[in-house]
Amino acid sequence: MTRMIERWFPSAEVSANSDKGWGSGNSEIALFMWFAKRPTAQAKAATICSLLPWPDDPGEQKRLQELVRSAMTGRYAAWGELQAEIAKANFEGAATLDPFSGRGMIPLESARLGVRAFAVDYSPVAVLASHLLTSAPFEDWSQEPELPFGDEGGQLLTSRTDRLLSDLSTLFAEIQTRHAAAMHDFYPRHNGNLPWGYLWAVTIPCQECDQRFPLIGSYELMPARGDREALSFHIDADRASGTWEAVVTPGKPTRAPTLTNSVVNGKKVAGKSAICVFCGHVHQLAVHRRLLQERQGQDALVLAADIGARSKKAFRQPTTEERNAVEAASRALAAESAFNPFLPAVPDEGIAPGNNNIIGPSIYGAKTYGDFMVDRQTLSYVRLARIINELGDEVTAAGLSRDYVRALTGYATAVVVKKLRRSTRGARFQSKGGAQVGDLFVNEGSITFSHDFFEAGIGDGPGTWRSISDNVLAACRNLFADLRGAPASVQQGTATALPYPPKNFTAVVTDPPYDQMIAYADASDLFYAWAKRCLHSTWPELAVTADPHGCQDKSQEIIVKRVRGEAPNEHRTREHYDTLIAEAFAQMRQVVRDDGVVTIVFGHGEPEVWQRLLHSIERAGLVMTGSWPANTESGGQQGKANIETTLTMACRPAPFGRPPGRKGAVEAEIKEEIKQRYPDWERWGLAPADMLMAAAGPAMEVVGRYSEVLDAKGEPVDIYTFLPLARAAVQEAMAVEINHQPLETFDARTRFALWWVSLYGRQVQAKSELRWQVLASSLDLLSVRDLVPDTDKGVRFITSREYVGKVDGDSAVIDVALALAAASEEGLQAMGHVVVASERPADDTYLWAAVQFLADRLPDNDPDSIAFTRVLRARPGIVNAAEAIATSNYENARRQKDNDAQLRLT
């Protein structure tokens, strides 16, 4: 059976729904902190297209396409019709597997359809997240005994999720009450109210005057907004007493903060420098970083923040009672007992060497995940973890089932994990947006460090338990509304050793790790350290690890680890990744049914990474049969790579007994296959740029018909070499004409430029796309690099004002056209000289076809579109000017020749 995903995919609908609304996945990610958000629109489309057939009858094809398009209008759109079609196409019962499930976005879509869904992930944190999203909500908890705290009974339950929502609301409120009581002595009230929180800063001893001063990156507290005046503060220092204090003042900051860019000996110093408030001595980055690494930094309370009537935020100096409470918290933390003999109260899980680029605090002296907070924050989390465990014991004693207790405490831990993002030295105070607590993640995979940071208290306001738990509860209400489907089966494991029998799944649909984009385990070890403590009695398996630092095990993690500094034992190399990802793909091949597919969602711009991925797919005995692009990332940063487009690729087990093939014949087959597919792509509205990516599927399907492809010398050909060919075949199939002139009749440099403009106009593209286009054009990158120069966020087609080439008889058409546009403001004579310098006929067909094309394809308000239009309108005059200049040049040359001859005679 040919599956729909091998011939068609709703790329436009996925792209349209991935940024916002039901298909963005924003509601799902609000439940638990994890990485690499997979839009639910793409997960849904990949799942249903992998389970539905692709009939031979065109009418049936169209009917199923319309059904899928209808399903892409909402979370449960066309739910019954989809279930019926999937059941009809899979009479033995459909089942899906995601062996890299992460937070569970892909298996969630199978669960919502009622399809038997199985999820595996290597990270225990991801397993917890996936369980809370794909399994617990779909269980029927209505027969569970009542909670032994909160209001008893009295609530009408109208759906199976009402009970879970009600109990989570009661549980979160109980945790709030108990936690506030446990921390009451350490967060004193001010004027009868609990403060929102406190601004802290790290202090260092000045290397000149020896006074200790705070490192603060901004003095702004509140920007002006409407009739609200701006608010700021500054540090006043008394050198005689060696003391300093923060002074809150109305208006914008008038002084430079203590951590700022500085100039020494007339030169700007790299990085932020720490300026002593007592003597003005400048401590460059290397100096104040060294002081923190030597443990000479100390945390100091700077300001207290209150929330008054109408949520108005106010800032003030901490009281003596508040300062005493900080010291009391440190003493209390030192007295906290361990959770068990192997789990101390304060996390001692170590940060592995080489993690400076992932775990920012390690650059500044942090050695363990217990070093991430001030003592009072750490004490708050220790007691929060104890409360969650105590409540787990209480509800167990009240007769609730083990699974329900695990679900309840798991959701409570989800709140803890989300709160951690705004409760460490990486959580900066943010003045914009009405004063918020910043996120400790600088992108989707790296934890930041800040010298000044905000500590949320135990009352109300951003970053507090009440705020974060309300946020999680709101996410649950959204996700549980109109809930349909069946629970997924989630377990921890490795994709290289799947615990399932052969030919067990209709489809394996997965989003594997992308090379070195995100270090999942390292980036989530902070969550792991605290999740172990919150769940040590209800999820004891979380604490089991072979990692020597006590963190998540990484021996079989399939990533390429970027390291900074010394990392002598780092094994997650490219060889490690390539070997294990091929083993994982081979395992998928083993467990998928004969008529099923392995669907791989992958997003990476670098041609080299794609080459390695294709090799891994080939080594696993799989053949790609479809590839469909969708704009699903909106330029989001994942780790260090900006990606916008991902491919959803269908693969099948390679058939046995395949013959070898010859390169020339295979190339011809690829061109013919793409030529046959092109009319469908055009009819379905696939954009030309998307066709380039879709061409990989049919190309690899053709290559997969052969055990190997040999060149004229009998040497094996790398399958990757056929990807650029597939892209070139799309261009050939499109039969692009430039003002009635076939594109292929232009010179290579011009052909490249006009094809680029036809695809992207003046839009910025990733640098990797330039490399792909160069490969497809069989050109050297240097030969066209000047046509597509760098811009802020990638590359774009050159403007005529940027063009600096010299036009002569060897110039390509595109160079002459750009020079004409650049000269257009100087008049007919200047443009005529360009034409004459090119040694082309003044009315050259190809030159004027290119000028017309560029004028039409560039945006109307683009300066070059205007310039090329100006050139077109002046065409007769340019021709006349060029002919006159050429005639004049000829006459001058003839006279010079006659003069030279006369001189020789004399």
Coordinates of all heavy atoms in Angstrom, one line a residue, residues 262-269 273 282 284:
S262 N 32.9 49.6 28.7 CA 33.8 50.6 29.1 C 34.9 50.9 28.1 O 35.1 50.1 27.2 CB 34.5 50.2 30.4 OG 35.3 49.0 30.2
V263 N 35.5 52.0 28.3 CA 36.6 52.4 27.4 C 37.9 52.6 28.2 O 37.9 53.4 29.2 CB 36.3 53.7 26.6 CG1 37.5 54.2 25.7 CG2 35.0 53.5 25.7
V264 N 38.9 51.9 27.8 CA 40.2 52.1 28.5 C 41.3 52.5 27.5 O 41.4 51.8 26.5 CB 40.6 50.7 29.2 CG1 42.0 50.8 29.9 CG2 39.6 50.3 30.2
N265 N 42.0 53.5 27.8 CA 43.0 54.1 26.9 C 42.5 54.3 25.5 O 43.2 54.1 24.5 CB 44.2 53.1 26.9 CG 44.9 52.9 28.2 OD1 45.0 53.9 29.0 ND2 45.4 51.7 28.5
G266 N 41.3 54.8 25.5 CA 40.7 55.2 24.2 C 40.1 54.1 23.4 O 39.6 54.3 22.3
K267 N 40.1 52.8 24.0 CA 39.6 51.7 23.2 C 38.5 51.0 24.0 O 38.5 50.9 25.2 CB 40.7 50.7 23.0 CG 41.8 51.2 22.0 CD 42.9 50.1 21.8 CE 43.9 50.5 20.8 NZ 45.0 49.5 20.6
K268 N 37.5 50.6 23.2 CA 36.3 49.9 23.9 C 36.8 48.5 24.3 O 37.4 47.8 23.6 CB 35.2 49.8 22.9 CG 33.9 49.2 23.5 CD 32.8 49.1 22.4 CE 31.6 48.4 23.0 NZ 30.5 48.3 22.1
V269 N 36.5 48.2 25.6 CA 36.9 46.9 26.1 C 35.8 45.9 25.8 O 34.6 46.1 25.8 CB 37.0 47.0 27.7 CG1 37.3 45.7 28.3 CG2 38.0 48.1 28.0
S273 N 32.3 45.4 31.6 CA 33.2 45.7 32.7 C 32.5 46.0 33.9 O 31.4 46.6 33.9 CB 34.2 46.8 32.3 OG 35.0 46.4 31.2
V282 N 38.0 50.1 36.9 CA 37.4 49.2 35.9 C 37.9 47.8 36.0 O 39.1 47.6 35.9 CB 37.7 49.8 34.5 CG1 37.1 48.9 33.4 CG2 37.1 51.2 34.4
Q284 N 37.8 44.5 34.0 CA 37.4 43.9 32.7 C 36.8 42.5 32.9 O 36.9 41.9 34.0 CB 38.6 43.9 31.8 CG 39.1 45.3 31.4 CD 40.2 45.2 30.4 OE1 40.3 44.3 29.6 NE2 41.0 46.3 30.4

